[in-house]
Amino acid sequence: MDLRNIFNFIPEVKKPAEKKLDFRTKAKWTLIILGIFFLLGNVSLFGLSENALARFDFLATVLAADFGSLISLGIGPIVMGSIILQLLSGAGIIKIDTTTAEGKKFFQGIQTLLVFFFIIFEAMVYVLMQGLQADPLLGTLGPIILIFQLILGGFAIFYMNEVCQKWGFGSGVSLFIAAGVSARLFTQAFQFINAQGKNCLLDFSNTACSGKILVFLQSIINKSPIEAYSALAALIATAIIFMIVVWAQSLKVEIPLSFGRIRGYGVKWPLAFFYASVIPVILVAALIANIQLFGGIIQNKIGHPTILGNFVNGQAVCESNGCGLAFWLGSTNLVDLIIRKAFLLKYIYQAITHILFFILLATLFSVFWVKTAGMDAKSQAKNISASGLQIAGFRQDERILESVLDRYIMPLTVMGGAAIGLLASVTDSFGALVGGTSILLVIMIMFQFYQSIAKDHMMDMNPAMRKFMGG
């Protein structure tokens, strides 16, 4: 049976009839989807008895998930489907010509099927491996009810992502990550309810706070230098990462172009240094998070460490009874270990493997993404030519455009992918409030939203909003 026949039965979000949506429409749908995302994150799974995944709550940020709620799967299935298809396509196992409309449609259809498979597969793994345990009172129906809810939540995230892509300001995956990281960043800085559920503001001197800013102030009052240095280091690391990422976003190569029919007028076509944008980091971070998550679920089920990892209270550790893949691919806050005088040589080895893995896979995913997302030299040359532009000093010919762009696009893809992988992995060791990778992701995603709004919708905005955006 031809797969194209199956694609016809898959529901899809319709594209808008208009070629270009106005600012209000995109803002409306983006805010609606964001509101639904937070709403689903606050709807607990019916019939849930024990949430063993709660100990892996630190992974929820990258996966845009809320374990124990309807969106427990988060973007995991979407990312895994994308990774598998890119690897198969990049290795030549599946040959799809994404430069044609038919090829793009086929590629997207295969990706959708893979995402649906991972939604069902991950839902079953979470429940059957007892990551999310059903209430015994529900009997044999308990696990089925939980799996059904997880699948519904997975499909909701998938189609919300589709709505954002076609009716909003961009990728729903990026939006969900940015929303989750932003919320977590705020609570990490200002949380006044501690792990015991007590409000530290009511008795600031004696009740421990959770938010780093409050911890810092509390430590100064109580004369606890180690806690003060640890909290201050996290705040400084966050500020440094923010400044580095904002600076790195401004790096670009500009190709001088001219209008073929209008002499004396020209524009510069910018090619960002991070050419594949934030996508490679999302894919690598989500892959590592999935390895840690599944390793923890398996250990929870069988009762001992596996090759995937050795976990204590949800954290991957390296002890006498084993280390595992999750530890070597993960990262540890080296600055905090040095402050607390708990630094060991194994954490240096871990940092090296974490950095090398991030650089290698971020570069690989950058190349695959550029080739499959219509960002290669040939596709860009076609877009430029369709706009009536040409390389200054050359005749209007797509082949000339492609040859010139090819000098920059692939080197930028490789160097940008390696650089963003290095930046993400090194910052993970600095001990930022929600992790270096998460900070990098939220800054880059927000910057992309800003650029998208400022570039395409400046004229549609309310005057006050236009002034805020720099128009």
Side-chain angles (χ1 to χ4, degrees):
M1 184 179 179
D2 192 346
L3 280 175
R4 288 176 179 81
N5 295 328
I6 298 176
F7 299 158
N8 295 328
F9 295 100
I10 299 176
E12 64 175 343
V13 176
K14 264 192 164 185
K15 289 184 178 180
E18 301 92 336
K19 207 167 187 180
K20 183 181 176 183
L21 290 175
D22 59 74
F23 173 78
R24 287 184 180 180
T25 302
K26 286 195 171 187
K28 178 185 73 174
W29 281 109
T30 301
L31 291 173
I32 288 172
I33 293 300
L34 193 57
I36 294 173
F37 174 75
F38 280 119
L39 180 65
L40 293 178
N42 284 282
V43 178
S44 300
L45 291 167
F46 172 75
L48 180 64
S49 171
E50 185 180 338
N51 180 9
L53 300 184
R55 69 187 69 174
F56 299 98
D57 192 50
F58 64 98
L59 298 175
T61 305
V62 174
L63 294 175
D66 194 334
F67 299 131
S69 74
L70 281 175
I71 57 169
S72 293
L73 299 183
I75 62 168
I78 298 174
V79 171
M80 289 305 296
S82 179
I83 289 173
I84 297 298
L85 185 54
Q86 286 195 42
L87 291 176
L88 292 175
S89 179
I93 297 172
I94 295 179
K95 294 182 179 180
I96 305 172
D97 183 8
T98 54
T99 59
T100 65
E102 184 65 27
K104 284 181 181 177
K105 189 176 180 182
F106 186 73
F107 185 89
Q108 290 167 358
I110 294 288
Q111 189 172 34
T112 299
L113 288 180
L114 281 171
V115 172
F116 287 178
F117 166 77
F118 278 109
I119 287 173
I120 297 169
F121 174 74
E122 290 188 17
M124 294 177 69
V125 169
Y126 279 20
V127 176
L128 299 181
M129 298 296 286
Q130 297 183 347
L132 299 169
Q133 297 179 33
D135 190 332
L137 295 176
L138 295 174
T140 55
L141 282 177
I144 296 173
I145 291 171
L146 280 185
I147 291 172
F148 178 72
Q149 291 175 87
L150 289 173
I151 291 173
L152 279 182
F155 280 125
I157 290 288
F158 173 78
Y159 282 109
M160 285 159 61
N161 176 52
E162 291 279 295
V163 171
C164 263
Q165 286 179 335
K166 295 174 182 178
W167 292 86
F169 284 122
S171 167
V173 168
S174 297
L175 179 67
F176 303 148
I177 290 175
V181 174
S182 298
R184 197 169 292 258
L185 182 62
F186 184 82
T187 56
Q188 285 288 322
F190 300 103
Q191 179 64 277
F192 52 85
I193 304 297
N194 61 24
Q196 288 73 40
K198 295 181 179 179
N199 186 342
C200 70
L201 297 179
L202 298 177
D203 188 8
F204 199 66
S205 299
N206 300 313
T207 305
C209 296
S210 297
K212 293 297 183 183
I213 291 176
L214 299 178
V215 168
F216 176 66
L217 296 174
Q218 199 173 49
S219 301
I220 292 175
I221 293 171
N222 295 334
K223 297 179 180 180
S224 303
I226 291 179
E227 292 299 326
Y229 292 147
S230 177
L232 183 61
L235 295 170
I236 292 174
T238 303
I240 290 173
I241 293 167
F242 179 86
M243 289 186 286
I244 291 173
V245 175
V246 169
W247 170 78
Q249 286 279 38
S250 66
L251 300 176
K252 58 181 177 290
V253 174
E254 294 181 327
I255 309 294
L257 301 175
S258 62
F259 289 96
R261 297 179 181 178
I262 307 173
R263 293 183 179 276
Y265 289 92
V267 295
K268 290 182 178 179
W269 192 276
L271 299 174
F273 177 62
F274 294 141
Y275 186 68
S277 188
V278 74
I279 297 298
V281 175
I282 291 177
L283 295 176
V284 180
L287 179 61
I288 292 176
N290 273 304
I291 290 172
Q292 292 177 321
L293 189 59
F294 283 104
I297 290 174
I298 292 171
Q299 180 174 325
N300 184 65
K301 175 69 175 177
I302 64 178
H304 59 78
T306 65
I307 191 172
L308 287 179
N310 182 7
F311 298 87
V312 175
N313 296 324
Q315 297 287 340
V317 298
C318 185
E319 297 180 343
S320 56
N321 62 335
C323 298
L325 190 62
F327 175 81
W328 297 116
L329 296 186
S331 61
T332 304
N333 185 348
L334 298 181
V335 176
D336 192 59
L337 289 175
I338 292 170
I339 290 172
R340 297 181 184 279
K341 297 180 181 180
F343 182 79
L344 297 172
L345 194 59
K346 65 182 178 182
Y347 296 118
I348 287 289
Y349 299 144
Q350 182 197 34
I352 292 171
T353 56
H354 177 70
I355 290 169
L356 291 176
F357 183 80
F358 242 101
I359 291 174
L360 178 63
L361 277 201
T363 305
L364 190 66
F365 287 141
S366 291
V367 174
F368 288 166
W369 182 257
V370 166
K371 287 184 175 180
T372 57
M375 297 171 65
D376 56 302
K378 187 175 181 180
S379 300
Q380 289 285 46
K382 190 174 180 181
N383 293 336
I384 293 172
S385 184
S387 302
L389 294 165
Q390 64 189 54
I391 300 289
F394 292 86
R395 61 188 174 87
Q396 192 167 4
D397 190 324
E398 273 190 36
R399 291 171 297 178
I400 295 174
L401 274 168
E402 185 181 344
S403 64
V404 173
L405 289 173
D406 204 37
R407 297 176 197 169
Y408 299 99
I409 286 180
M410 195 46 66
L412 283 174
T413 300
V414 174
M415 289 190 298
I420 200 171
L422 176 65
L423 184 59
S425 53
V426 169
T427 53
D428 278 338
S429 302
F430 284 176
L433 291 180
V434 289
T437 299
S438 298
I439 292 288
L440 182 143
L441 285 175
V442 74
I443 296 170
M444 291 189 69
I445 290 168
M446 291 300 188
F447 188 78
Q448 283 178 359
F449 277 121
Y450 167 81
Q451 282 187 315
S452 174
I453 294 169
K455 180 181 177 183
D456 298 331
H457 307 284
M458 191 69 74
M459 297 307 296
D460 300 331
M461 291 182 194
N462 178 281
M465 178 65 77
R466 194 183 308 151
K467 187 177 180 181
F468 175 76
M469 296 297 293

